[in-house]
Amino acid sequence: MSGTINALAAKSVEITERNSAVITLEELGGSSIEYSSERKKTLRARYLYGIIFLLTNLGAWFVRDYGQRVLSRLPYIKACGFEGDDCFHTVGVLRVSLGCFIFFLFMFSTTVKTRKLYEARNTWHSGWWALKSFLLSVAIVAPFFLPADFIQLYGEVARIGAGIFLLLQLVSVIQFITWWNDYWMPDVKRKQSCAMGLFTSTLFYIASICGIGVMYSLYCPKTSCTLNIFFITWTAILLVVMMVVSLHSKVNRGLLSSGIMASYIVFLCWSAIRSEPAIKECNHQRQSDGHNDWTTILSFLIAICAIVMATFSTGIDSQSFQFRKDDAQLEDDIPYSYGFFHLIFSLGAMYFAMLFISWNLNSSTRTWSIDVGWASTWVKIINEWFAATIYLWKLISPVVRQSKIMDNREPIQQI
């Protein structure tokens, strides 16, 4: 009898263990599906924020070029001044930029420490769009009630913020170039040869050399164009320096990364020269008659899309700015840093304001123009030089650290 009771008890324990195991597996499967759903929501949210940023850019353009003409019959508030002059054109762009900055700075402050998908801040980041639309509307409208002096002060701060944005964008671009170079490097384990990398690097160098030649022919028709000659010649020198350093025996990074970087700085140089004011002697492609053809409008729209893409790509690239790399990611971890994402978008709001007003707080820009003027030219040229400097430092810094380590080891060995 006791044996039968023990057998029944053992059977019940076994059934209980099986049921608990099934329940545990079901719970794990359910949580896995839930985390996967939350992850998809957060990834979709990135694009919604990008659309918001794009619409804000278009709103700033409308306020700058057509706001006063279309909204001329509306009663202006006191902060807008006489006939609304302080709410349109350059100051209007700064007001829209300030609203966008406030919105994304608020999103940064509410999501900065989010780590897991099950946190309430994750739901706030990827949901509640009706409430966030209301907050965005309030943030955009509120700066139009602020005095013009405060907006001018924000413009000075926006210059600094836009500069920080450019530096972060440079780091992100250089990290991408490094990753691309490492991906195409020859690898014995993956049985990957260097043929494709060599072919790609050759294409980039040919494109860079051709670009320099085209810039000389288009923008240096006379010897009096000394500034353009200096810009292009210095870019060519940087190209050669990067190639030589990259091929040095102690660096040995190959030609691919330096070739991509060469194309990038040639593009920055071309963009800087294109931003010069209309000068017939040295920039004959620019039209100074004030009429806008389809190429001007298309270039403007492409420039706006480039601003949004640059902000978006930098915002999702938080790993390039981590001092400690952690490859292990758990299932319930967020796919990207929400705080960094919103911080980049807030700096991007300052950046697009500077492009729309050509980095000049007291100038009036031509309709359908963007980032044109001597201030814009010098910002891009300095950005090019910074890019080359950061890239060169990234190449030689491992060699410098290694030499310091060897110098510290020698006294220890002598002791």
Side-chain angles (χ1 to χ4, degrees), residues 50-344:
I51 293 173
I52 290 174
F53 192 74
L54 173 62
L55 294 176
T56 308
N57 276 257
L58 294 175
W61 158 74
F62 175 79
V63 168
R64 188 196 70 174
D65 289 352
Y66 299 102
Q68 193 169 23
R69 187 185 312 173
V70 175
L71 305 176
S72 58
R73 296 183 179 180
L74 292 179
Y76 299 121
I77 57 179
K78 184 178 180 181
C80 290
F82 180 72
E83 295 186 353
D85 290 337
D86 291 338
C87 285
F88 302 106
H89 307 298
T90 299
V91 184
V93 171
L94 291 175
R95 291 181 188 274
V96 176
S97 169
L98 177 58
C100 184
F101 170 77
I102 291 173
F103 173 75
F104 281 107
L105 188 65
F106 173 75
M107 292 302 303
F108 163 76
S109 63
T110 54
T111 60
V112 62
K113 292 185 178 181
T114 309
R115 295 291 182 269
K116 301 295 181 179
L117 291 171
Y118 54 76
E119 295 182 25
R121 285 174 293 188
N122 175 73
T123 306
W124 166 244
H125 169 78
S126 56
W128 295 86
W129 293 106
L131 178 58
K132 283 188 283 193
S133 299
F134 172 75
L135 293 176
L136 176 63
S137 302
V138 172
I140 295 294
V141 172
F144 285 87
F145 292 88
L146 298 175
D149 293 339
F150 182 84
I151 301 301
Q152 288 289 328
L153 178 62
Y154 166 75
E156 297 292 345
V157 177
R159 283 177 172 172
I160 302 174
I164 296 173
F165 175 85
L166 284 175
L167 287 177
L168 295 177
Q169 183 186 2
L170 282 180
V171 174
S172 180
V173 169
I174 292 174
Q175 285 294 109
F176 172 75
I177 292 174
T178 304
W179 170 83
W180 200 358
N181 180 75
D182 294 338
Y183 180 80
W184 288 111
M185 287 289 283
D187 192 340
V188 179
K189 294 182 180 180
R190 293 186 300 175
K191 297 180 180 180
Q192 179 174 295
S193 65
C194 61
M196 190 62 187
L198 183 61
F199 174 74
T200 309
S201 61
T202 303
L203 288 181
F204 276 110
Y205 270 110
I206 292 175
S208 302
I209 295 171
C210 291
I212 289 175
V214 169
M215 285 192 294
Y216 270 123
S217 63
L218 291 179
Y219 305 120
C220 303
K222 299 179 180 180
T223 56
S224 59
C225 302
T226 55
L227 188 60
N228 287 354
I229 294 174
F230 168 70
F231 288 159
I232 300 170
T233 304
W234 186 248
T235 300
I237 293 172
L238 289 176
L239 189 154
V240 174
V241 170
M242 289 190 300
M243 181 182 66
V244 171
V245 173
S246 183
L247 290 177
H248 195 275
S249 58
K250 292 185 178 180
V251 177
N252 195 23
R253 295 297 297 173
L255 287 172
L256 181 57
S257 64
S258 59
I260 301 172
M261 197 64 199
S263 300
Y264 181 63
I265 66 169
V266 168
F267 166 77
L268 290 177
C269 181
W270 170 81
S271 180
I273 295 176
R274 290 279 297 176
S275 294
E276 292 177 356
I279 300 175
K280 293 183 179 180
E281 293 81 5
C282 301
N283 199 349
H284 59 84
Q285 285 190 340
R286 280 211 167 272
Q287 297 178 358
S288 57
D289 56 359
H291 294 86
N292 301 306
D293 56 4
W294 67 271
T295 57
T296 304
I297 296 175
L298 181 61
S299 300
F300 176 82
L301 295 176
I302 292 175
I304 288 185
C305 292
I307 296 171
V308 177
M309 288 301 298
T311 307
F312 182 85
S313 60
T314 307
I316 62 177
D317 189 25
S318 58
Q319 294 182 354
S320 297
F321 304 91
Q322 292 178 355
F323 294 101
R324 295 178 60 185
K325 303 293 183 181
D326 187 10
D327 296 330
Q329 188 176 32
L330 301 178
E331 189 180 22
D332 58 348
D333 288 341
I334 59 175
Y336 56 94
S337 174
Y338 301 159
F340 182 81
F341 179 83
H342 292 298
L343 178 63
I344 291 298

